[in-house]
Structures are given as structure tokens and as C-alpha cells.
């Protein structure tokens, strides 16, 4: 149940981040984790995150779900990169859901649990800069 997001561990405080960046060649001042939700940090400093578990505050008009086909590709690619010595987000588990996900065709849904020392993006820091919140930027960057 935990690997699919159906149950949280005690002390979990799920969150999604927003950030800024370029999308389709244009600056976008409001992007965010549309299908990824961080569950919190483990006692050894790893952040656990579910990708494809559903809507987040930053999903906009999307459903937040992932399909099995792309989730398998993400799982295999991240583990291959790790195996050849490239630091990357690690795939912890891949769970096929009973949910049917509607894209170009109807596909089976899936959720990938990922782990990383941090999911902070450069755009997460820029978010504070473009809003002229410099004290918060410094505090966030130190984190």
C-alpha cells in the first residue's frame, strides 16, 4: 500500500514543489510537480517521491497519472544510469495500478516510487529570485 501511495508512513508530510523554467522554448513563471508528490525524507537523508499517483496542486488541467509503458522506461533508464556510474534519481519500485489512463489510447496506469538525496531543481531556486524573495532564496539554497 505504501509503494502505491495508498498508505502513508507515520510522520509523512507529502508535498509538491513549484518552480520556474523554460517550456516549449518560452519562459514559464509557474511550473510544478504535476504528477510527482514527495512523501518526505527518510532517516538516512533520502527523499521518497511517487510519480503518477494522481493530481497535485501543480497538475493544472492534467490528471497526474502515469502510464505503465513510460513508467517502465523511466524505471529501467534510471537504474541503468546508476549501474554505469551516472548519479541520478533511483527507482525504488514500480507498481501497476488498476486505473485505466486515457492518453492517445487507453493504457494501464502505474506509479514509480523514486528516491534521491534531493529533488530540488535550479528552477526551484529561480522561483524565489523572480519573485524578489531574496531572503527566502538564500534560506532555500542553504537547505
Amino acid at each position: 500500500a505504501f509503494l502505491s501511495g495508498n498508505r502513508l508512513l507515520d510522520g509523512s508530510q507529502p508535498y509538491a514543489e513549484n518552480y520556474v523554467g523554460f517550456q516549449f522554448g518560452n519562459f514559464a513563471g509557474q511550473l510544478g510537480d504535476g504528477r510527482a508528490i514527495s512523501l518526505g525524507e527518510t532517516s538516512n537523508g533520502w527523499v521518497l517521491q511517487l510519480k503518477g499517483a494522481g493530481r497535485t496542486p501543480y497538475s493544472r488541467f492534467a490528471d497526474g497519472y502515469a502510464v505503465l509503458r513510460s513508467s517502465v522506461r523511466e524505471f529501467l533508464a534510471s537504474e541503468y544510469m546508476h549501474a554505469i556510474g551516472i548519479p541520478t534519481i533511483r527507482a525504488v519500485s514500480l507498481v501497476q495500478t488498476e486505473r485505466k489512463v486515457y492518453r492517445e489510447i487507453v493504457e494501464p496506469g502505474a506509479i514509480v516510487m523514486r528516491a534521491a538525496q534531493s529533488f530540488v531543481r535550479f528552477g526551484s531556486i529561480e522561483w524565489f529570485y523572480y519573485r524578489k524573495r531574496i531572503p527566502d532564496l538564500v534560506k532555500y539554497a542553504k537547505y
Side-chain angles (χ1 to χ4, degrees):
F2 174 69
L3 298 177
S4 63
N6 289 326
R7 192 177 125 255
L8 295 176
L9 298 180
D10 291 339
S12 290
Q13 296 180 340
Y15 63 91
E17 289 197 46
N18 65 342
Y19 46 91
V20 302
F22 286 83
Q23 191 174 50
F24 310 114
N26 298 304
F27 180 76
Q30 176 72 30
L31 297 171
D33 291 334
R35 73 172 69 182
I37 188 90
S38 295
L39 301 177
E41 195 170 311
T42 65
S43 60
N44 63 354
W46 287 81
V47 179
L48 298 178
Q49 186 180 76
L50 296 175
K51 186 170 182 184
R55 292 182 56 79
T56 75
Y58 308 108
S59 295
R60 296 184 280 190
F61 301 106
D63 59 19
Y65 299 121
V67 299
L68 181 61
R69 176 179 43 87
S70 60
S71 298
V72 167
R73 186 172 50 243
E74 178 177 343
F75 187 97
L76 294 174
S78 69
E79 288 309 289
Y80 177 73
M81 289 173 58
H82 172 73
I84 62 173
I86 298 172
T88 187
I89 294 168
R90 299 294 308 276
V92 175
S93 68
L94 172 61
V95 176
Q96 181 176 345
T97 67
E98 294 179 7
R99 180 176 304 280
K100 300 296 179 205
V101 180
Y102 296 84
R103 298 293 183 261
E104 293 83 21
I105 59 173
V106 179
E107 298 187 59
I111 298 170
V112 176
M113 179 177 279
R114 312 185 307 172
Q117 301 260 316
S118 173
F119 285 99
V120 172
R121 300 165 182 80
F122 189 73
S124 304
I125 296 169
E126 286 182 306
W127 186 91
F128 293 103
Y129 173 80
Y130 285 107
R131 285 164 178 75
K132 311 250 185 280
R133 294 177 51 182
I134 304 307
D136 292 327
L137 182 152
V138 171
K139 183 178 177 182
Y140 191 78
K142 287 181 179 178
Y143 168 77

